[in-house]
């Protein structure tokens, strides 16, 4: 990549080209700018809520207990809050296609950016067949649905995704807006239901006898399997939170990233606090973590979902089917996000010369057609579920995704740290930034540190799994930690391919701070003086 080019462009030109309806044959591709403020906010609030939260957390409750789940998700939640704030600062200033992949290339090292870009794209490519399979399995919750071969449901859902692609990014935005709204309503409804159950509002059922309170935190207990059980929560949390960073990736296709991105990144606080921490706290109060029904919840079996289980235990007829419908919708929403995340990343990689050239093609309506085709081809892997060894295949396929988020989020924080160093070294001030991360560079240091600690904790449980042999075995280790050698291999490959061009990192005074930068109105960047008096208002403004 040529980092010597210096060019400032306006909001109308940055990352988009002169017209969104022109077929692009030049190296710099143009994407449509059809994502409105409401789309961006819904992507931020509910875009990635899916099977990871509604189903996968059951395995975390079984392994770590409600206390470990709550603390683990709070840690990862704070980490994501720091990460998305850093991403928001970068994406407002540089609303370029590829977002954090591009930031890694220009602020850290091109080889590391290459590794992050392909790791992220591969992660979404492999998650799609899993989500399609999960959607099919949610239908099997109903007896009539179970009578129909799962391949039929996979076909229906895959065709639906193909239809959405015809409408480009606007189709993605509208579908996410509607589906996210349904997921949000479902989470709010479950919280209300859980409070009623915990306070003894459900009468005459064999499971709950009046007021429950924190009974299950004492018996069977808040923590299971000690420190090892606590460490197992991190991979589940990563998979559940995966996709939070999509709001930054969508910046290149937002109509007005200067206004919509800061608001959208602040919405992440609500998602983390309300839709993850509060809902999981409620689940921990009304579902015993030693329930045998939670076995198998690491996959996509909604019968093992702690949310559905809570309703079943309460003996409320009809409501389990309603919530299972919400899980089905959530899974399809994540499948839709898979297509967006992978295609935009692959197109950006191709535009940088880091992927096959045909992938950079964008048609008249701003759609990366060949990238979409590649993603949908990967979707066909869902039919492997028909084979006898289908479950084993999916275990290895998913091994490429869960852990990879820690590398991506850590890289976003590191890119922000390096950007701030370059910004200062080249004579700029913070007042020139159109938007500043609420927690500043300190938040990025904390976010980067937490990502590293999460990787260490996962490495520990990969070597010594809960209930496994002392070393776990090579198969168990790589099914959890496969993303690490993949990232290292990608990094080494690009270093060898480019013969180590650029050294091991980009120095602050050599960073390209001009290419893709939105045209700055310095009046927009002027902030009020920071004092102890206005500190509470500044904190609230940063979060809300």
């Amino acid at each position: 990549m040529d980092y010597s080019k210096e060019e400032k462009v306006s909001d109308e030109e940055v990352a988009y080209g002169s017209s969104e309806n022109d077929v692009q044959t030049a190296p710099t591709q143009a994407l449509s700018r059809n994502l409105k403020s409401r789309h961006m906010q819904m992507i931020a609030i509910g875009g990635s809520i899916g099977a990871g939260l509604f189903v996968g957390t059951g395995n975390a409750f079984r392994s770590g207990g409600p206390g470990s789940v709550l603390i683990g998700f709070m840690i990862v939640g704070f980490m994501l809050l720091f990460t998305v704030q850093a991403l928001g600062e970068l994406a407002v200033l540089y609303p370029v296609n590829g977002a954090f992949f591009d930031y890694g290339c220009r602020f850290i090292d091109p080889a590391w950016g290459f590794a992050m870009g392909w790791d992220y794209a591969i992660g979404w490519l492999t998650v799609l067949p899993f989500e399609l399979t999960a959607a099919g399995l949610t239908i099997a919750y109903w007896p009539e649905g179970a009578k129909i071969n799962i391949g039929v449901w996979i076909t229906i859902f895959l065709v639906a995704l193909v239809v959405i692609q015809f409408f480009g990014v606007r189709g993605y935005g509208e579908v996410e807006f509607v589906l996210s709204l349904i997921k949000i309503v479902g989470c709010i409804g479950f919280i209300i239901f859980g409070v009623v159950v915990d306070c003894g509002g459900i009468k005459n059922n064999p499971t709950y006898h009046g007021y429950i309170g924190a009974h299950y935190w004492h018996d069977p207990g808040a923590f299971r399997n000690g420190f090892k059980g606590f460490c197992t929560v991190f991979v589940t949390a990563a998979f559940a939170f995966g996709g939070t960073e999509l709001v930054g990736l969508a910046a290149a296709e937002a109509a007005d990233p200067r206004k919509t991105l800061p608001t959208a990144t602040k919405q992440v606080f609500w998602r983390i606090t309300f839709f993850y921490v509060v809902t999981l706290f409620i689940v921990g109060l009304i579902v015993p973590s030693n329930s045998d029904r939670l076995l198998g919840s690491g996959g996509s079996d909604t019968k093992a979902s702690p949310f559905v289980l809570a309703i079943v235990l309460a003996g409320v007829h009809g409501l389990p089917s309603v919530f299972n419908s919400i899980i089905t919708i959530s899974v399809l929403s994540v499948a839709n996000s898979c297509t967006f995340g992978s295609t935009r990343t692959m197109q950006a990689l191709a535009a940088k010369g880091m992927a096959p050239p045909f992938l950079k093609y964008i048609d008249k309506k701003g759609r990366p057609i060949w990238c979409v085709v590649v993603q949908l081809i990967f979707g066909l892997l869902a039919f492997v579920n028909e084979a006898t060894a289908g479950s084993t295949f999916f275990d290895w396929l998913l091994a490429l995704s869960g852990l990879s988020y820690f590398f991506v989020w850590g890289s976003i924080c590191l890119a922000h740290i390096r950007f701030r160093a370059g910004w200062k070294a080249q004579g700029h001030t913070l007042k020139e930034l159109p938007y500043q991360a609420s927690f500043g560079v300190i938040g990025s240091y904390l976010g980067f540190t937490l990502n590293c600690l999460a990787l260490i904790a996962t490495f520990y449980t990969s070597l010594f799994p809960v209930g496994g042999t002392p070393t776990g075995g090579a198969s168990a280790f790589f099914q959890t930690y496969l993303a690490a050698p993949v990232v290292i291999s990608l990094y080494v490959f690009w270093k060898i391919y480019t013969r180590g061009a650029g050294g091991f990192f980009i120095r602050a005074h050599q960073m390209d701070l001009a290419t893709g930068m939105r045209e700055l109105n310095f009046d927009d960047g002027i902030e009020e003086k920071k004092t102890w008096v206005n500190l509470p208002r500044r904190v609230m403004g940063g979060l809300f």
Side-chain angles (χ1 to χ4, degrees), residues 196-205 207-213:
V196 172
V197 171
D198 191 59
C199 293
I202 304 296
K203 306 295 183 181
N204 301 323
N205 76 83
T207 305
Y208 299 127
H209 303 284
Y211 177 76
I212 303 173

Side-chain angles (χ1 to χ4, degrees), residues 97-447:
N97 187 23
F100 37 85
F101 144 71
D102 183 82
Y103 307 147
C105 287
R106 68 165 71 186
F107 301 133
I108 303 175
D109 175 49
W112 189 251
F114 171 84
M116 284 302 97
W118 272 113
D119 178 56
Y120 191 70
I122 291 171
W124 281 122
L125 286 170
T126 55
V127 165
L128 178 60
F130 168 80
E131 296 294 341
L132 291 172
T133 301
L137 289 175
T138 60
I139 301 297
Y141 177 84
W142 296 286
E144 292 300 319
K147 295 178 182 178
I148 302 175
N149 188 284
I150 191 174
V152 175
W153 299 115
I154 291 173
T155 302
I156 293 172
F157 297 140
L158 190 58
V159 170
L161 281 179
V162 172
V163 172
I164 293 172
Q165 303 315 306
F166 281 109
F167 298 94
V169 71
R170 185 61 180 268
Y172 162 74
E174 294 295 349
V175 169
E176 279 305 295
F177 180 81
V178 174
L179 298 187
S180 294
L181 192 60
I182 295 173
K183 289 187 286 185
I184 289 169
V185 172
C187 286
I188 294 173
F190 180 83
I191 290 173
I192 296 172
F193 167 81
V195 171
V196 172
V197 171
D198 191 59
C199 293
I202 304 296
K203 306 295 183 181
N204 301 323
N205 76 83
T207 305
Y208 299 127
H209 303 284
Y211 177 76
I212 303 173
H215 172 74
Y216 292 134
W217 281 60
H218 299 283
D219 181 19
F223 299 94
R224 294 172 59 85
N225 300 303
F227 179 70
K228 188 185 295 185
F230 169 73
C231 291
T232 61
V233 173
F234 286 107
V235 171
T236 302
F239 192 75
F241 278 113
T244 305
E245 71 290 331
L246 280 174
V247 67
L249 196 64
E253 296 175 77
D256 189 356
R258 170 66 180 88
K259 293 182 179 179
T260 58
L261 264 177
T263 302
T265 54
K266 293 173 185 178
Q267 299 297 334
V268 173
F269 172 83
W270 288 103
R271 180 206 286 188
I272 292 170
T273 303
F274 197 76
F275 301 115
Y276 284 89
V277 176
V278 175
T279 54
L280 291 175
F281 175 67
I282 295 294
V283 170
L285 290 177
I286 61 178
V287 175
S289 59
N290 62 349
S291 173
D292 292 336
R293 298 189 189 184
L294 292 176
L295 292 173
S297 58
S300 51
D301 184 3
T302 54
K303 294 179 181 179
S305 164
F307 290 80
V308 174
L309 178 58
I311 301 172
V312 171
L313 292 175
V316 181
H317 300 291
L319 196 55
S321 292
V322 173
F323 205 85
N324 189 72
S325 300
I326 294 174
I327 295 177
T328 304
I329 290 171
S330 300
V331 171
L332 292 176
S333 171
V334 176
N336 188 38
S337 296
C338 288
T339 307
F340 178 80
S342 65
T343 55
R344 271 54 183 182
T345 304
M346 287 190 292
Q347 196 279 330
L349 284 161
K352 293 284 191 296
M354 294 179 171
F358 74 93
L359 291 176
K360 68 183 178 182
Y361 172 74
I362 296 176
D363 71 357
K364 294 180 180 180
K365 295 184 178 181
R367 300 172 298 192
I369 292 297
W370 289 112
C371 296
V372 172
V373 171
V374 170
Q375 173 67 90
L376 294 176
I377 289 174
F378 266 81
L380 296 175
L381 291 175
F383 291 103
V384 174
N385 189 70
E386 300 284 346
T388 305
S391 60
T392 303
F393 174 78
F394 273 105
D395 286 340
W396 285 103
L397 204 61
L398 287 176
L400 294 169
S401 58
L403 190 68
S404 66
Y405 291 117
F406 289 129
F407 286 99
V408 172
W409 298 334
S411 297
I412 292 172
C413 292
L414 183 58
H416 182 241
I417 293 169
R418 296 295 301 143
F419 160 74
R420 282 290 188 93
W423 191 255
K424 181 179 180 181
Q426 296 187 29
H428 296 283
T429 65
L430 295 182
K431 291 184 178 180
E432 298 177 43
L433 296 174
Y435 172 69
Q436 293 183 38
S438 300
F439 304 98
V441 72
I442 295 177
S444 293
Y445 275 110
L446 290 173

